Amino acid sequence: DAGITQSPRHKVTETGTPVTLRCHQTENHRYMYWYRQDPGHGLRLIHYSYGVKDTDKGEVSDGYSVSRSKTEDFLLTLESATSSQTSVYFCAITGTGGDGYTFGSGTRLTVV
Amino acid sequence: KQEVTQIPAALSVPEGENLVLNCSFTDSAIYNLQWFRQDPGKGLTSLLLIQSSQREQTSGRLNASLDKSSGRSTLYIAASQPGDSATYLCAVRSGGGADGLTFGKGTHLIIQP
C-alpha cells in the first residue's frame, strides 16, 4: 500500500546478530503495529505503538524491542537473532475509532 | 482473550460457484471486523470493514455480514473466478484505541478454471 512501506523486503542474517526492520507511514496515523506470520500460527502481534515514544508489548514480544521517535517511523529490533525468529514480519497502521487497518508488504527474515 | 476461528481451513470449488467463508469470535464486544485477502508471498489487502453497529458491507461480488450477538461473520463471494484464489483472513478489533487485531488462521481458497 502506498501509505506504508517496509524495509528491507528480504533479509538473511546469522544467528546472534542484531537486526532492525523499518516501517514508514505517510498517513499520519497514531497507531502502528508489528506482526509476525508463521505457518500454523497465523498472524501474531509482537509490539505496538500508540504515539511517539509510546509503545507496548503484544502476544509474542520476547526477543524483540521497538522504537518510535517520529510519527512516521516504527522500528523493530531483534537484539540477537535466533532461528525461531525466521518469519515474515508485517507492519500495520490504523487511526482511531472505526478505521480499518492497512498492512505493509512484509519483510521476509531468515536467520541461519 | 478474544479468539477467532475460520471454517473451512481450505476450500476448492469450480469456477462460477457462489461460496461462503465463515468466521466466528468468542467475545462479542468487538469494535469492528475486517476481511483481508492474502496472495502467496504477498501482504494483506483489505476487502471489507464492518463496524459493530452494521449488519453487512458489500463491494462488487463480495458481501460480508456480521452478527455480533452470536459472534459470527460470513464472507459471501458471488460467481467465483480463478483470480479469487487466495487466502482469506478474518480479523477482529476489540477496542477503538491501540488494541491490535486478532486474526483467524484463514481459509485457503482455490477456484478451479
Coordinates of all heavy atoms in Angstrom, one line a residue, chain B residues 29-67:
Chain B
A29 N -18.0 -8.4 22.2 CA -17.8 -6.9 22.5 C -16.7 -6.4 21.5 O -15.6 -6.0 22.0 CB -17.4 -6.7 23.9
I30 N -17.0 -6.4 20.2 CA -16.0 -6.0 19.2 C -16.2 -4.6 18.8 O -17.4 -4.1 18.9 CB -15.9 -6.9 18.0 CG1 -17.2 -6.8 17.2 CG2 -15.7 -8.4 18.5 CD1 -17.2 -7.5 15.9
Y31 N -15.2 -4.0 18.2 CA -15.4 -2.6 17.7 C -15.7 -2.7 16.2 O -16.6 -2.0 15.7 CB -14.1 -1.9 17.9 CG -14.3 -0.4 18.1 CD1 -14.7 0.1 19.3 CD2 -14.0 0.5 17.0 CE1 -14.9 1.5 19.4 CE2 -14.2 1.9 17.2 CZ -14.7 2.3 18.4 OH -14.9 3.7 18.5
N32 N -15.0 -3.5 15.5 CA -15.3 -3.8 14.1 C -14.6 -5.1 13.7 O -13.8 -5.7 14.4 CB -14.9 -2.6 13.2 CG -13.4 -2.2 13.3 OD1 -12.5 -3.1 13.3 ND2 -13.2 -0.9 13.2
L33 N -14.9 -5.5 12.4 CA -14.4 -6.7 11.9 C -13.9 -6.5 10.5 O -14.6 -5.8 9.7 CB -15.4 -7.9 11.9 CG -15.0 -9.3 11.5 CD1 -15.7 -10.3 12.3 CD2 -15.3 -9.5 10.0
Q34 N -12.8 -7.0 10.1 CA -12.2 -6.7 8.8 C -11.9 -8.0 8.1 O -11.3 -8.9 8.7 CB -10.9 -5.9 9.0 CG -10.5 -5.1 7.8 CD -9.5 -4.0 8.1 OE1 -9.1 -3.8 9.3 NE2 -9.0 -3.3 7.1
W35 N -12.2 -8.1 6.8 CA -11.8 -9.2 6.0 C -10.7 -8.8 5.1 O -10.7 -7.7 4.5 CB -13.0 -9.7 5.1 CG -14.0 -10.5 5.9 CD1 -15.1 -10.1 6.5 CD2 -14.0 -12.0 6.0 NE1 -15.8 -11.1 7.0 CE2 -15.1 -12.3 6.8 CE3 -13.1 -13.0 5.7 CZ2 -15.4 -13.6 7.1 CZ3 -13.4 -14.3 6.0 CH2 -14.5 -14.6 6.7
F36 N -9.6 -9.7 5.0 CA -8.5 -9.4 4.2 C -8.3 -10.6 3.2 O -8.7 -11.7 3.4 CB -7.2 -9.4 5.0 CG -7.1 -8.2 6.0 CD1 -7.6 -8.3 7.3 CD2 -6.5 -7.0 5.6 CE1 -7.5 -7.3 8.2 CE2 -6.4 -5.9 6.5 CZ -6.9 -6.1 7.8
R37 N -7.6 -10.3 2.1 CA -7.2 -11.3 1.2 C -5.6 -11.2 1.2 O -5.0 -10.2 1.2 CB -7.7 -10.9 -0.2 CG -7.1 -11.7 -1.3 CD -7.5 -11.2 -2.7 NE -6.7 -11.9 -3.7 CZ -7.2 -12.4 -4.8 NH1 -8.6 -12.2 -5.1 NH2 -6.5 -13.0 -5.7
Q38 N -5.0 -12.5 1.1 CA -3.6 -12.5 1.0 C -3.2 -13.5 -0.1 O -3.5 -14.7 0.0 CB -3.0 -13.0 2.3 CG -1.4 -13.0 2.3 CD -0.8 -13.3 3.7 OE1 -1.4 -14.0 4.5 NE2 0.4 -12.7 3.9
D39 N -2.5 -13.0 -1.1 CA -1.9 -13.9 -2.2 C -0.6 -14.4 -1.7 O 0.1 -13.8 -0.9 CB -1.8 -13.1 -3.4 CG -3.2 -12.7 -4.0 OD1 -3.9 -13.5 -4.4 OD2 -3.5 -11.5 -3.9
P40 N -0.2 -15.6 -2.2 CA 1.1 -16.2 -1.8 C 2.2 -15.3 -1.9 O 2.5 -14.6 -2.9 CB 1.2 -17.4 -2.8 CG -0.2 -17.7 -3.2 CD -0.9 -16.4 -3.3
G41 N 3.0 -15.2 -0.8 CA 4.2 -14.4 -0.7 C 3.9 -12.9 -0.7 O 4.8 -12.1 -0.8
K42 N 2.7 -12.5 -0.5 CA 2.3 -11.1 -0.6 C 1.8 -10.6 0.8 O 1.6 -11.3 1.7 CB 1.2 -10.8 -1.6 CG 1.7 -11.3 -3.0 CD 2.8 -10.5 -3.6 CE 3.1 -10.9 -5.0 NZ 4.3 -10.1 -5.5
G43 N 1.5 -9.3 0.8 CA 0.9 -8.7 2.0 C -0.6 -8.9 2.1 O -1.2 -9.6 1.3
L44 N -1.2 -8.2 3.1 CA -2.7 -8.3 3.3 C -3.4 -7.1 2.6 O -3.0 -6.0 2.8 CB -3.0 -8.3 4.8 CG -2.8 -9.6 5.6 CD1 -1.4 -9.9 5.7 CD2 -3.5 -9.4 6.9
T45 N -4.4 -7.5 1.8 CA -5.2 -6.5 1.2 C -6.6 -6.5 1.8 O -7.3 -7.5 1.9 CB -5.4 -6.8 -0.3 OG1 -4.1 -6.8 -0.9 CG2 -6.3 -5.8 -1.0
S46 N -7.0 -5.3 2.3 CA -8.3 -5.2 3.0 C -9.4 -5.3 1.9 O -9.4 -4.6 0.9 CB -8.4 -3.8 3.7 OG -9.6 -3.7 4.3
L47 N -10.4 -6.1 2.2 CA -11.5 -6.3 1.4 C -12.8 -5.6 1.9 O -13.4 -4.8 1.1 CB -11.9 -7.8 1.3 CG -10.8 -8.7 0.7 CD1 -11.2 -10.2 0.8 CD2 -10.6 -8.3 -0.8
L48 N -13.1 -5.8 3.1 CA -14.3 -5.2 3.7 C -14.1 -4.9 5.2 O -13.4 -5.7 5.8 CB -15.5 -6.1 3.5 CG -16.1 -6.3 2.1 CD1 -17.0 -7.5 2.0 CD2 -16.8 -5.0 1.6
L49 N -14.7 -3.8 5.6 CA -14.6 -3.4 7.0 C -16.1 -3.3 7.5 O -16.8 -2.5 6.9 CB -13.8 -2.1 7.2 CG -13.9 -1.5 8.6 CD1 -13.1 -2.3 9.6 CD2 -13.3 -0.1 8.5
I50 N -16.4 -4.0 8.6 CA -17.8 -3.9 9.1 C -17.7 -3.3 10.5 O -17.1 -3.9 11.4 CB -18.5 -5.2 9.1 CG1 -18.4 -5.9 7.8 CG2 -20.0 -5.0 9.5 CD1 -19.1 -7.3 7.9
Q51 N -18.4 -2.2 10.8 CA -18.4 -1.7 12.1 C -19.4 -2.5 13.0 O -20.3 -3.2 12.4 CB -18.8 -0.2 12.1 CG -18.0 0.7 11.2 CD -16.6 0.8 11.7 OE1 -16.2 0.6 12.9 NE2 -15.7 1.0 10.7
S52 N -19.2 -2.4 14.3 CA -20.0 -3.3 15.2 C -21.5 -2.9 15.1 O -22.4 -3.8 15.4 CB -19.6 -3.1 16.6 OG -19.7 -1.8 17.0
S53 N -21.8 -1.7 14.6 CA -23.2 -1.3 14.5 C -23.9 -1.7 13.2 O -25.1 -1.5 13.0 CB -23.4 0.2 14.7 OG -22.6 0.9 13.7
Q54 N -23.1 -2.2 12.3 CA -23.5 -2.6 10.9 C -23.8 -4.1 10.8 O -23.3 -4.9 11.6 CB -22.5 -2.2 9.9 CG -22.2 -0.7 9.8 CD -21.1 -0.4 8.9 OE1 -20.1 -1.1 8.8 NE2 -21.2 0.8 8.2
R55 N -24.7 -4.4 9.9 CA -25.0 -5.8 9.7 C -24.3 -6.4 8.5 O -24.0 -7.6 8.4 CB -26.5 -5.9 9.4 CG -27.4 -5.5 10.6 CD -27.4 -6.6 11.7 NE -28.0 -7.8 11.3 CZ -28.1 -8.9 12.1 NH1 -27.6 -8.8 13.3 NH2 -28.7 -10.0 11.7
E56 N -24.0 -5.5 7.5 CA -23.3 -6.1 6.3 C -22.6 -4.9 5.5 O -23.0 -3.8 5.7 CB -24.2 -6.8 5.4 CG -25.3 -6.0 4.8 CD -26.2 -6.9 3.9 OE1 -25.6 -7.6 3.0 OE2 -27.4 -6.9 4.0
Q57 N -21.7 -5.4 4.7 CA -21.0 -4.5 3.8 C -20.8 -5.2 2.5 O -20.6 -6.4 2.4 CB -19.6 -4.1 4.3 CG -19.6 -3.0 5.4 CD -19.9 -1.6 4.9 OE1 -19.8 -1.3 3.7 NE2 -20.4 -0.8 5.8
T58 N -20.9 -4.4 1.4 CA -20.7 -5.0 0.0 C -19.7 -4.3 -0.8 O -19.6 -3.0 -0.7 CB -22.1 -5.0 -0.7 OG1 -23.0 -5.8 0.1 CG2 -22.0 -5.6 -2.1
S59 N -19.0 -5.1 -1.6 CA -18.0 -4.5 -2.5 C -18.0 -5.4 -3.7 O -17.4 -6.5 -3.7 CB -16.6 -4.3 -1.9 OG -15.7 -3.8 -2.8
G60 N -18.6 -5.0 -4.8 CA -18.6 -5.8 -6.0 C -19.2 -7.1 -5.8 O -20.4 -7.2 -5.4
R61 N -18.5 -8.2 -6.0 CA -19.0 -9.6 -5.8 C -18.9 -10.1 -4.4 O -19.3 -11.2 -4.1 CB -18.3 -10.5 -6.8 CG -18.6 -10.3 -8.3 CD -17.8 -11.3 -9.2 NE -16.4 -11.2 -9.1 CZ -15.6 -12.0 -8.5 NH1 -16.1 -13.1 -7.9 NH2 -14.3 -11.9 -8.4
L62 N -18.4 -9.2 -3.5 CA -18.2 -9.6 -2.1 C -19.2 -9.0 -1.2 O -19.6 -7.8 -1.4 CB -16.8 -9.2 -1.7 CG -15.6 -9.6 -2.5 CD1 -14.3 -9.1 -1.8 CD2 -15.6 -11.2 -2.6
N63 N -19.7 -9.8 -0.3 CA -20.6 -9.3 0.7 C -20.3 -9.9 2.0 O -20.1 -11.2 2.1 CB -22.1 -9.7 0.4 CG -23.1 -9.3 1.4 OD1 -23.2 -10.0 2.4 ND2 -23.7 -8.2 1.3
A64 N -20.1 -9.1 3.0 CA -19.7 -9.6 4.4 C -20.9 -9.2 5.3 O -21.4 -8.1 5.3 CB -18.4 -9.0 4.8
S65 N -21.2 -10.2 6.1 CA -22.3 -9.9 7.1 C -21.7 -10.1 8.5 O -20.6 -10.7 8.7 CB -23.4 -10.9 7.0 OG -23.0 -12.3 7.3
L66 N -22.3 -9.5 9.5 CA -21.9 -9.5 10.9 C -23.1 -9.7 11.8 O -24.0 -9.0 11.7 CB -21.1 -8.2 11.3 CG -20.7 -8.1 12.7 CD1 -19.7 -9.2 13.1 CD2 -20.2 -6.7 13.0
D67 N -23.0 -10.8 12.6 CA -24.0 -11.0 13.7 C -23.2 -11.0 15.0 O -22.6 -12.0 15.5 CB -24.7 -12.3 13.5 CG -25.8 -12.5 14.6 OD1 -25.8 -11.8 15.6 OD2 -26.6 -13.4 14.4

